[in-house]
Amino acid sequence: MSQRQQANPSTGVHVTVRRLGVIGAFLTSIVAAVVLVLDVGVTLAPVVPVSLSQPRQASVVAAVGARPSHRLVGIGASGAWWSVPAYALGVKDRRRIGRLLYGNHGLRLSQFRFNIGGGGVGVSTWWKAPPTWYTPNGSFNFATDSQAVYFLRQAATAHVHDLVGFVNSAPPAFTSNHQSCGGTLLTSAIPSYALELAMTVQGIQSHFGVKLSYISPMNEPVGSQASCHQEGMAVPIGERGPLVVALAHDLARLAPWCHVIADESAFVANGFLVDTPKWLSYPGASGAVAALAYHGYDYPDAQTLRSVHRLANQLHHQVWATEICCHTPNGFAYQYDPTMISGIWLADTIYNDLMVAGASVFDWWLALSPDLGCNPAADPTCFADINALGRNDGLIYFDLHGGANGDHRLYLTKRYWVLANFSRYLRPGAELYPVATSDPRVKALAAREGNREVIIAINRSPEGSPPIPLVIEFPPRSGRLTPSYSVQTSFTDSLKPVANPTVTGSIIATLSQPFSVTTYVFDRSNK
């Protein structure tokens, strides 16, 4: 099936819309003149196929658990690498980025991961080589990396709940090869590096008025990014415990508002599950970390994620899923896919991390990316098509050279809208409830925050399948349950308001559309 793009010329914000043809004798294409204009300037005018006759489907029952499994800390994305070329787009576009990431009609992210640069020494990709504030003589120069600081302060001004600092590489003074890639953290440098990080957190507060809630001193510590296309640093298992202990000690003195997370292993099965018990057994390490963090680049199955949940319970720690991206039919590889195919994969991934692994945080990798795999200045519609040269690493895409060539368009993927189905409506502190469904085609999770109840349903039925009658059973609770609003993302729709379900006591009935993610919001009053 083909793709087409629609845009609001006044804003240059683009979305991808699936064009559907006539399917069989029962379907006819009807243009729905439903236009939703958001305050960020995104205009959607979907072409909606309407079924004249569809076979009846057996109902799927979704039973909400009586007790919450855990509380949500936040949902976020990373600010690494894209700040310099995105800043070059200009003041208007920087503000537009802020609305798309943090506004009530954008993603409304509750976490922002800020990359503390390691200096970029030896890194061959210019926009993946952030400067460091630490100078060779041991002092700090907080006048550098101003573009990244702009977007950090933007997140702080938007009252993002948690600002999280993370490091791909220590400054060259602390690495074995004196570069920002390809080296290993020197064991002898652990005390100095920990102090440098604590002073960095303190300096961010004193110079920019921004408090980081958490900091991660290492990122994917098994690898060093030896190719030097980006920053990276290996941290052997024996160094990880001493590092988090030293850092927690220095933060307690210099920046007590900030806490340590670790170790952000790239893989779950042969990384996080194996290594965490080892480094966490170092004296004082368990008390030094606020959360255990993993990345899911081995795209773990449910059994592996259940092992994460068990390990976190055994170690008496929260677990956070802090980075994921770049999934393709061949695993981690080059591909650019702005469609709902990647969107449904993301929905599954969020569900699995939150509800199977029991993660309290889900963070996507890059909020923005220029890795389109094509040149939109030469081919203005290329952003709408899957290609093998880009990366599935962003939620929003832009032209890497847009500041110079005048292409200021921002391209919103279906991943952006799917994440919004979660990030807008699952807020920090919300209780998460498991939901058991009678059919594997439908997954769901529930959340409760005060008098507000949320259900997010993922329907993985193939595109063109008939809708599935969905019956949601809430456990008996006091108060009347009233539907507030419902929004849906699918091949044709991007967070489009849809009909509210019917409510009879604690039973909710609705039609679940194929290949969609739908968020249902309810109010529970005491009247």
Side-chain angles (χ1 to χ4, degrees), residues 74-77 111 113 164 320-324 361-365:
I75 295 176
Q111 282 206 340
R113 295 181 77 229
V164 182
W320 290 12
T322 51
E323 191 178 309
I324 191 65
V361 163
F362 178 86
D363 289 327
W364 178 255
W365 173 217

Side-chain angles (χ1 to χ4, degrees), residues 285-314:
S286 182
V289 292
L292 304 174
Y294 70 87
H295 299 175
Y297 288 114
D298 51 349
Y299 307 117
D301 59 19
Q303 181 178 350
T304 303
L305 291 174
R306 282 191 286 270
S307 295
V308 171
H309 194 188
R310 286 193 296 270
L311 179 62
N313 287 339
Q314 292 167 7

Side-chain angles (χ1 to χ4, degrees), residues 348-369:
D348 278 341
T349 301
I350 298 172
Y351 171 88
N352 289 336
D353 281 327
L354 293 182
M355 304 311 299
V356 180
S360 299
V361 163
F362 178 86
D363 289 327
W364 178 255
W365 173 217
L366 292 180
L368 275 75
S369 171

Side-chain angles (χ1 to χ4, degrees), residues 105-126:
H105 295 287
L107 290 177
R108 208 179 164 212
L109 295 178
S110 50
Q111 282 206 340
F112 178 74
R113 295 181 77 229
F114 173 71
N115 183 206
I116 297 172
V121 177
V123 176
S124 60
T125 308
W126 68 268

Side-chain angles (χ1 to χ4, degrees), residues 56 137 277:
R56 293 180 61 85
N137 65 11

Side-chain angles (χ1 to χ4, degrees), residues 209-227:
V210 174
K211 288 185 175 182
L212 299 182
S213 303
Y214 301 93
I215 187 167
S216 171
M218 63 194 107
N219 199 59
E220 302 182 359
V222 169
S224 65
Q225 297 295 336
S227 65

